[in-house]
Amino acid sequence: MRPDARAWFSGRTTSARSLADLDVAALLRAKRRGGHRVSVVLPARDEEATVGRLAGEVVDRWVRRVPLVDEVLVVDSDSTDRTADVARAAGADVVAAADVLPAHGTRPGKGEALWKSLAATTGDLLVFLDADLLGDVTHYVPGLLAPLLTDPQVGYVKGCYTRPLEVGGRVTPAGGGRVTELTARPLLNALWPELAGVVQPLGGEYAGRRAALERVPFLSGYGVEVGLLVDLLGLLGLGGLAQVDLGVRRHTSQDTDALGRMAGQVVSAVLARSGAAGTAGLLTQFRAGDGGFDPVSTPVAVDERPPMSTVAEYRAARAGAV
Ligand SMILES: O=c1ccn([C@@H]2O[C@H](COP(=O)(O)OP(=O)(O)O)[C@@H](O)[C@H]2O)c(=O)[nH]1
Ligand SMILES: O=C(O)[C@@H](COP(=O)(O)O)O[C@H]1O[C@H](CO)[C@@H](O)[C@H](O)[C@H]1O
């Protein structure tokens, strides 16, 4: 690692592998002292199997029992299952991404759901959790908030963790984060070596100050994490970023074909942010058939939303809220 990346890794990585690593009472005091309001956002597409437990745990633990969080919003991202009903029954607020800022239309993708969450929440601190998390993640929310509540220089916090791989019912203790290890990390190391200390650049659990998040674009698909990381590096500098070791992260994993398309979106995002020449924006994969290989092409071109702070309706709503 370059010296700046190593210094960042050493100085900006904290540990919150369980609640035992955290002083929740001190975090509550810091929240009150800072006059903060906290929003937790779960982007969810077809997550009826997992969103209820997760959202319910956050609401029960961090809204009702310990007031660390002020709102929990599930952004329904074009689900075709009962995600919205299950999330609502668990006590979360629910909004359809398509219903937020309707004048701006709707686009598919996780990043679209996250961009719209800025207009559908009120916290000055936001925590993002994937809605397909498995296992005990109670400590994730306070762990991600801690650097923001205790260090005013920090504007964005990435979770990091070991990542078991669970595909087709088979679990291996490591091997998760396939797009991270095979695509994102090599590209980020090559193009932004100052980010080499980020353990999980694509991880779906992170937190940030609204004042920063509203000033950067959001890539509409799976390029959103790598886009936010590079754009917030530019906005905040390396010193404005932090990461917290949350121990282990389990989630429902997709198959290789799906991750190939995800990797295509990540590569398009990296090429766009690095100023590389325009890309075809199309990924062709191959399915083995009786008569040989069937090519299947998927759009992976970069599609992004502008910084939310440039959206008139958003500014008006924020001004009215003051
Ligand atoms: O168009 C999409 C795709 C994904 N997601 C959500 O984003 C998170 C991460 O997506 P996914 O699980 O597909 O990625 P993986 O974790 O497998 O990398 C999950 O909560 C998804 O429900 C979303 O809101 N909209
Ligand atoms: O990190 C990764 O390689 C991918 C895939 O993880 P797995 O191989 O399914 O454990 O998972 C992440 O990537 C997506 C794109 O940035 C994020 O949106 C997901 O939240 C995150 O799980």
Side-chain angles (χ1 to χ4, degrees):
M1 258 191 280
R2 267 182 15 181
D4 54 348
R6 178 167 295 282
W8 181 85
F9 176 76
S10 304
R12 280 284 191 224
T13 304
T14 52
S15 181
R17 296 186 173 191
S18 72
L19 286 177
D21 288 346
L22 292 159
D23 183 343
V24 173
L27 293 179
L28 266 178
R29 290 194 298 271
K31 177 193 175 189
R32 290 186 180 123
R33 210 169 34 246
H36 295 293
R37 182 172 170 78
V38 175
S39 303
V40 173
V41 173
L42 287 77
R45 180 184 65 178
D46 295 337
E47 303 289 7
E48 65 178 6
T50 52
V51 70
R53 177 193 74 91
L54 184 60
E57 268 183 6
V58 176
V59 169
D60 177 55
R61 188 64 178 262
W62 301 121
V63 178
R64 291 179 182 148
R65 289 162 59 185
V66 175
L68 193 62
V69 171
D70 299 283
E71 63 181 343
V72 178
L73 177 71
V74 170
V75 182
D76 183 2
S77 177
D78 309 318
S79 294
T80 59
D81 67 4
R82 298 184 57 253
T83 291
D85 294 338
V86 169
R88 201 170 285 113
D93 300 330
V94 180
V95 68
D99 293 345
V100 180
L101 294 177
H104 293 258
T106 187
R107 302 174 187 178
K110 178 186 183 183
E112 172 77 354
L114 296 178
W115 184 74
K116 297 249 179 134
S117 77
L118 294 182
T121 52
T122 57
D124 61 292
L125 301 180
L126 291 101
V127 181
F128 301 95
L129 303 176
D130 279 0
D132 64 344
L133 291 176
L134 303 171
D136 177 13
V137 295
T138 310
H139 59 293
Y140 277 29
V141 168
L144 289 163
L145 282 170
L148 295 170
L149 289 171
T150 56
D151 186 341
Q153 191 191 358
V154 173
Y156 189 61
V157 182
K158 289 290 289 189
C160 63
Y161 18 64
T162 56
R163 299 182 65 173
L165 182 59
E166 307 184 39
V167 180
R170 284 188 64 247
V171 181
T172 51
R178 289 160 290 175
V179 176
T180 294
E181 301 307 335
L182 299 174
T183 302
R185 192 184 310 287
L187 282 170
L188 287 169
N189 272 248
L191 295 165
W192 293 277
E194 61 269 46
L195 290 175
V198 179
V199 177
Q200 290 293 350
L202 299 189
E205 288 66 46
Y206 38 96
R209 299 187 197 281
R210 178 182 295 274
L213 293 166
E214 66 184 11
R215 291 170 58 195
V216 290
F218 275 59
L219 292 166
S220 300
Y222 283 118
V224 61
E225 276 84 17
V226 75
L228 283 174
L229 190 57
V230 169
D231 291 341
L232 288 166
L233 170 68
L235 178 72
L236 302 173
L238 199 53
L241 311 181
Q243 67 184 352
V244 61
D245 179 353
L246 297 171
V248 179
R249 182 222 200 201
R250 294 176 50 221
H251 71 129
T252 54
S253 292
Q254 303 183 68
D255 62 27
T256 308
D257 254 12
L259 287 196
R261 292 186 290 277
M262 176 188 290
Q265 293 183 39
V266 170
V267 167
S268 292
V270 167
L271 292 176
R273 285 296 184 270
S274 66
T279 62
L282 205 59
L283 173 73
T284 298
Q285 296 170 300
F286 295 90
R287 293 214 179 105
D290 296 339
F293 293 102
D294 301 322
V296 178
S297 296
T298 311
V300 292
V302 164
D303 178 26
E304 64 184 292
R305 292 289 197 171
M308 186 56 83
S309 59
T310 66
V311 175
E313 301 94 317
Y314 174 81
R315 287 206 308 272
R318 298 286 299 166
V322 171

